[in-house]
């Protein structure tokens, strides 16, 4: 039994014994080998790893137990011997054989090589060809025996690596660490200045294609809040060649930049004229790819080209618009570029902008409005649409509205020969929607591709080594923190909230207004319940209008106070009791200053009655938040090890961002961080953060964070920093109770772009940590789903067509439902809070905005508009 496997193992023993370290498969040995044999192998390993591996192999070839060979393969794969495992599965050792010359070279130069390298520095760059266990062992040896002993162990691990690209990664690491002498041993022809070196293996004939670019950030640009589209870490600062060129993305003669090979690989299907979704990691320079696509498209199409680039947020729009202007101003000043976002669409004619420009940078709602108003009669007016963050093409998002128009035209029999534009989507992840397995993930991806009418998902296959040398995935760590054992603050706030709910029930049966159950105080679900109750209050109708007005106003007051107490509980859970109390005190004072009525006086009295006790608790009457202790420990350790650390701390709410900023500024050990806060521009105000940040204030925070004099070492951000906004490279990403879906995980993690960076989740909820770990598994499912769809394009196309035609049928059915005829006359606008008359629609004058927008500006909602009989 297993005679063939044994024979093959003996024939290929040279590969096994020179790669395998038997102690790494100790579990297999203890299961299938006699204890004394296993002990002899481990003892032999302390003298010679190769000799021990030979003894191990000899003993394995004596086994007859059923299933031992599959168990061996499983053990190898579990210990990340993927190269060796694949070779044994197919009995194909060509890949391993291709690295033999590199092993021989390293073996010959080892005596000198080990005295030239710095193991601790190199380990930061060699994570993809060394096992985590090996890295830990090398670090331990350096701590105990010094750098030379660690260098010897590192060299031995490299010689025993079964990763095909280990030699290329080693050269890249030496280059990044500026270990010139050691690099010369591997490449004798390399000049000492490394002036002509490209990251890559020259023996394999790698080449770098040159594309003209002027996409850079000037150090003296006061308006720039952007990084280069091809950002480099300090260790990746490229050399300057004799011809003015350099690495992938550096500035060269005339402001030109070299397009990296992996970026060209991403763009290749688009260059061929195909609708494409480009899926690549955050930080790899997808905007550089977009610029190259635009440049090529303008050349090919000539005067018939009309390009639209869309960004989902105003902040991102400003960044990308600036980049497009700078790039084409240097490349070809004759190319006309304009941009529209926000309320600019009400002030400028989209038709005029379209007719007088070659490239238009937009927020997608601008295009939606222009199509609705007839300024853009058809998408056939354009030749190329680029959708940044295209994973948003779902539901009622403007992207989906635009693409629905595109698909209706494509599937319509009355297209009249109109040529629809080429579609290009950019995203870091296509892991949208909910899915449990690969099949469901593939369906979701096909639905997204169907919505974008893109048959190609462009990812990086050929140039992964180059990608990995520029884009670094942070190590993920999890810290599960214990909750406060007792917290009198929570008990007091719970009592107040229970009293307020009791008062509300005396006015109206609030349980009948919402079906949301299991709503715990201090939860997001409780917030959802409040929102639901307030919505129902707006449409509540009673026979007595005076009673209706009184009830609605009272319920609105009760629920608004409940909302603030719920917010305070959330702040207290994640920050200090002091911060939660300040949040409440500010709200209560605003209520008092507004001339509060009897109901509000009763509500504020609940707080006033407990304010003394709450003040005592917030001034040190209880233990500090364990989560803050853990956060402080992580930050202190990180900055002790590297005082040049740059951190981004993600939090769920604006109020919490401001609370953590105050906490750091008041902490003796953390105030040196000089924290900055980056939040959105939304109108909803909180008591701590005001009404959000303007673009100028965001720019100031980012400038401080990325400054060379380290004005700010940490940025506290809400979800505004998830997507699109370029922030300086950092080496520590902290997720403070901050967990979302797969796409959010990929985007947040991508903020840690420096080599050796970390991404740490801090939570006191095990289910939240489990969800993030589940997201990591789902990310792998998405990767497998993409590969399978790429391998089966016919099946992918079939699914897309099913989705497209099914969605078209649904849209046609909706269109068949007759619209309710509009009755002429005036409508009455009521206050959503008290239901009292405010004005008539005849009193409103529309100034190039929709009536609904005017009503919103006045504080009304469509549900508060009732027909005057």
């Amino acid at each position: 039994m297993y005679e063939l496997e044994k024979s093959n193992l003996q024939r290929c023993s040279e590969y096994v014994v020179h790669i395998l370290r038997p102690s790494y498969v100790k579990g297999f040995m203890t299961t299938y080998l006699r204890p004394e044999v296993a002990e002899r192998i481990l003892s032999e390993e302390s003298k010679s790893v190769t000799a021990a591996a030979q003894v191990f192999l000899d003993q394995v070839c004596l086994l007859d137990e059923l299933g031992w060979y599959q168990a061996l393969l499983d053990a190898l794969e579990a210990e990340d011997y993927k190269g060796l495992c694949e070779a044994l599965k197919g009995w194909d050792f060509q890949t391993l054989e291709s690295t033999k010359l590199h092993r021989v070279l390293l073996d010959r130069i080892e005596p000198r090589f080990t005295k030239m390298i710095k193991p601790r520095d190199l380990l930061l760059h060699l994570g993809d060809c060394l096992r985590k266990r090996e890295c830990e062992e090398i670090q331990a040896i350096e701590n105990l025996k010094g750098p030379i002993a660690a260098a010897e162990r590192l060299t031995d691990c490299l010689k025993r690596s079964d990763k095909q690209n280990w030699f290329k990664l080693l050269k890249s690491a030496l280059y990044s660490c500026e270990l010139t002498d050691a690099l010369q041993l591997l490449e004798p022809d390399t000049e000492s200045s490394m002036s002509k070196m490209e990251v890559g293996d020259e023996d394999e004939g790698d080449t770098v294609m040159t594309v003209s670019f002027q996409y850079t950030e000037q150090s003296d640009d006061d308006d720039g809040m952007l990084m280069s589209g091809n950002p480099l870490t300090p260790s990746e600062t490229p050399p300057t060649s004799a011809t003015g060129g350099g690495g992938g993305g550096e500035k060269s003669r005339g402001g030109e930049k070299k397009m990296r090979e992996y970026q060209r690989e991403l763009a290749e299907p688009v260059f061929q004229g195909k609708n494409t979704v480009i899926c690549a990691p955050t930080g790899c320079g997808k905007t550089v790819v977009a610029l190259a696509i635009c440049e090529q498209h303008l050349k090919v199409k000539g005067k018939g080209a009309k390009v639209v680039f869309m960004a989902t947020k105003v902040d991102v729009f400003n960044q990308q618009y600036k980049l497009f202007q700078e790039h084409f101003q240097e490349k070809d000043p004759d190319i006309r570029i304009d941009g529209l976002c926000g309320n600019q669409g009400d002030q400028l004619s989209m038709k005029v902008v379209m007719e007088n420009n070659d490239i238009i940078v937009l927020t997608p709602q601008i295009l939606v409005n222009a199509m609705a108003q007839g300024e853009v009669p058809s998408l056939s007016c354009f030749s190329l649409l680029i959708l940044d963050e295209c994973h948003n093409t779902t539901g009622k998002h403007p992207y989906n509205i635009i693409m629905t128009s595109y698909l209706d035209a494509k599937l319509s029999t009355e297209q009249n020969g109109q040529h629809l534009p080429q579609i290009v989507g950019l995203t870091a992840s296509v892991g949208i929607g909910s899915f449990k397995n690969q099949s469901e993930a593939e369906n979701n991806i096909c639905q997204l591709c169907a919505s974008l009418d893109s048959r190609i998902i462009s990812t990086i296959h050929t140039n992964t080594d180059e990608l990995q040398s520029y884009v670094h995935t942070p190590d993920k760590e999890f810290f599960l923190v214990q909750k406060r054992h007792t917290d009198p603050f929570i008990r007091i706030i719970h009592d107040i909230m229970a009293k307020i709910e009791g008062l509300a029930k005396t006015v109206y049966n609030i349980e009948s207004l919402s079906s949301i159950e299991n709503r715990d105080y201090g939860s997001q679900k409780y917030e959802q319940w409040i929102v639901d109750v307030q919505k129902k209050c707006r449409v509540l109708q009673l026979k007595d209008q005076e009673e209706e007005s009184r009830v609605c106003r009272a319920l609105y007051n009760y629920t608004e106070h409940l909302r603030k107490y719920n917010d305070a509980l959330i702040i207290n859970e994640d920050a200090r009791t002091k911060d939660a109390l300040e949040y409440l005190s500010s709200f209560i004072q605003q209520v008092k200053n507004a001339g509060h009525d009897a109901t509000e006086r009763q509500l504020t009295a609940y707080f006033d009655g407990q304010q003394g006790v709450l003040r005592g608790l917030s001034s040190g009457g209880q233990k500090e938040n364990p989560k803050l202790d853990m956060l402080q420990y992580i930050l202190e350790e990180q900055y002790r090890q590297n005082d040049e650390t740059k951190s981004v701390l993600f939090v769920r709410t604006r109020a919490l961002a401001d609370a953590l900023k105050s906490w750091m500024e008041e902490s003796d050990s953390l105030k040196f961080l000089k924290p900055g806060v980056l939040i959105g521009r939304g109108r909803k105000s909180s008591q701590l953060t005001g009404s959000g940040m303007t673009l100028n204030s965001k720019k100031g925070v980012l400038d401080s964070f990325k400054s060379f004099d380290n004005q700010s070492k940490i940025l506290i951000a809400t979800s505004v920093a998830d997507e699109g906004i370029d922030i300086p490279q950092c080496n520590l990403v902290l997720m403070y109770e901050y967990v979302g879906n797969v796409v959010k995980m990929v985007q947040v993690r991508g903020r840690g772009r420096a080599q050796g960076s970390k991404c740490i989740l801090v939570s006191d909820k095990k289910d939240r940590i489990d969800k993030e770990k589940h997201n990591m598994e789902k990310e792998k499912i998405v990767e497998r789903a993409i590969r399978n769809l790429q391998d089966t394009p016919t099946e992918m196309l079939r699914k897309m067509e099913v989705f497209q035609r099914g969605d078209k049928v649904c849209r046609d059915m909706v269109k068949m439902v007759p619209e309710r005829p509009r009755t002429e006359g005036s409508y009455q606008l009521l206050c959503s809070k008290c239901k009292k008359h405010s004005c008539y629609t005849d009193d409103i004058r529309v100034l190039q905005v929709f009536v609904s927008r005017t009503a919103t500006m006045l504080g009304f909602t469509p549900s508060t508009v009732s027909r005057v009989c």
Side-chain angles (χ1 to χ4, degrees), residues 352-384:
V352 174
V353 172
M354 183 174 62
E355 291 174 348
N356 290 279
N357 290 281
D358 305 303
I359 300 176
I360 311 165
V361 183
L362 300 170
T363 48
Q365 188 62 47
I366 294 289
L367 183 53
V368 171
N369 293 347
M371 292 169 65
Q373 296 169 4
E375 289 192 277
V376 177
S378 169
L379 289 175
S380 60
C381 297
F382 309 109
S383 59
L384 173 65

Side-chain angles (χ1 to χ4, degrees), residues 442-470:
E442 289 179 12
N443 287 338
N444 289 353
I445 296 170
C446 287
Q447 175 67 74
L448 177 64
C449 290
S451 298
L452 291 163
D453 196 39
S454 298
R455 304 182 181 186
I456 303 295
I457 305 173
S458 181
T459 56
I460 301 166
H461 293 288
T462 306
N463 299 284
T464 54
D465 292 342
E466 184 194 32
L467 174 70
Q468 291 168 2
S469 69
Y470 287 103

Side-chain angles (χ1 to χ4, degrees), residues 634-651:
I634 293 171
L635 290 170
E636 288 175 351
E637 282 296 301
Q638 181 69 24
Y639 284 92
R640 181 183 62 79
Q641 297 174 13
N642 179 10
D643 60 1
E644 297 299 320
T645 293
K646 288 283 190 176
S647 307
V648 177
L649 173 60
F650 283 96
V651 297

Side-chain angles (χ1 to χ4, degrees), residues 613-722:
V613 178
L614 295 174
R615 290 286 178 196
L617 293 174
S618 68
S619 61
Q622 62 174 334
K623 293 183 179 180
E624 189 58 275
N625 193 329
K627 276 193 286 193
L628 291 180
D629 294 339
M630 178 57 71
L631 182 59
Q632 181 173 352
Y633 168 77
I634 293 171
L635 290 170
E636 288 175 351
E637 282 296 301
Q638 181 69 24
Y639 284 92
R640 181 183 62 79
Q641 297 174 13
N642 179 10
D643 60 1
E644 297 299 320
T645 293
K646 288 283 190 176
S647 307
V648 177
L649 173 60
F650 283 96
V651 297
R652 291 179 294 167
T653 65
R654 299 176 182 183
L656 180 58
D658 212 61
L660 291 179
K661 180 177 185 290
S662 298
W663 168 68
M664 289 183 190
E665 290 173 338
E666 295 172 17
S667 170
D668 292 335
S669 62
L670 297 179
K671 59 185 179 183
F672 76 95
L673 296 177
K674 299 179 181 177
V677 171
L678 187 66
I679 60 176
R681 303 178 65 201
R683 296 172 182 172
K684 290 184 178 179
S685 63
S686 72
Q687 307 308 320
L688 296 178
T689 59
S691 59
M693 299 182 71
T694 64
L695 289 175
N696 285 336
S697 60
K698 286 183 181 180
K699 175 183 176 298
V701 169
L702 289 171
D703 285 346
S704 176
F705 183 65
K706 69 183 180 182
S707 64
F708 292 106
D709 56 0
N710 289 325
Q711 295 179 28
S712 175
K713 292 177 176 287
I714 189 169
L715 194 63
I716 307 172
T718 56
S719 58
V720 69
D722 277 359

Side-chain angles (χ1 to χ4, degrees), residues 310 364 367-374 376-382 385 387 393 395 397-415 418-421 423 450-453 804 807-808 811-812 815:
M310 287 177 281
L367 183 53
V368 171
N369 293 347
M371 292 169 65
Q373 296 169 4
V376 177
S378 169
L379 289 175
S380 60
C381 297
F382 309 109
L385 298 182
L387 291 74
T393 313
H397 193 277
Y399 276 169
N400 210 28
I401 297 173
I402 293 167
M403 289 309 302
T404 294
S405 175
Y406 176 100
L407 290 170
D408 283 345
K410 173 190 173 182
L411 299 174
S412 175
T413 57
E414 301 175 359
Q415 190 175 335
Q418 294 179 347
H419 295 287
L420 292 171
I423 303 295
S451 298
L452 291 163
D453 196 39
Q804 287 182 346
D807 292 343
K808 179 68 162 62
R811 292 194 297 271
D812 290 343
K815 291 177 182 179

Side-chain angles (χ1 to χ4, degrees), residues 98 120 176 223 298 303 445 462 470 485 566 591 621 821 842 848:
S98 67
R120 192 178 297 275
S176 297
D223 294 328
L298 291 170
K303 294 183 179 180
I445 296 170
T462 306
Y470 287 103
H485 294 297
N566 193 64
V591 172
D842 286 344
Q848 297 196 13

Side-chain angles (χ1 to χ4, degrees), residues 473-492:
T473 302
D475 295 330
K476 199 67 171 282
E477 298 181 22
F478 304 89
F479 285 82
L480 180 61
V481 186
Q482 289 186 345
K483 296 183 179 182
R484 290 189 180 117
H485 294 297
T486 58
D487 191 346
F489 178 87
I490 294 177
R491 177 181 53 79
I492 293 172

Side-chain angles (χ1 to χ4, degrees), residues 490-538:
I490 294 177
R491 177 181 53 79
I492 293 172
I493 299 301
H494 280 197
D495 289 344
I496 294 177
M497 293 178 75
K499 291 179 180 178
I500 295 175
E501 281 191 1
L503 282 177
K505 291 176 181 177
T506 62
V507 174
Y508 194 84
N509 181 15
I510 56 174
E511 298 297 336
S512 65
L513 295 177
S514 174
S515 59
I516 297 177
E517 300 178 350
N518 302 321
R519 53 182 193 277
D520 296 327
Y521 295 147
S523 67
Q524 191 66 36
K525 203 166 189 179
Y526 194 85
E527 167 78 14
Q528 294 170 0
W529 174 78
I530 291 172
V531 171
D532 196 27
V533 169
Q534 290 188 346
K535 285 183 177 179
K536 298 295 175 54
C537 283
R538 291 168 182 160

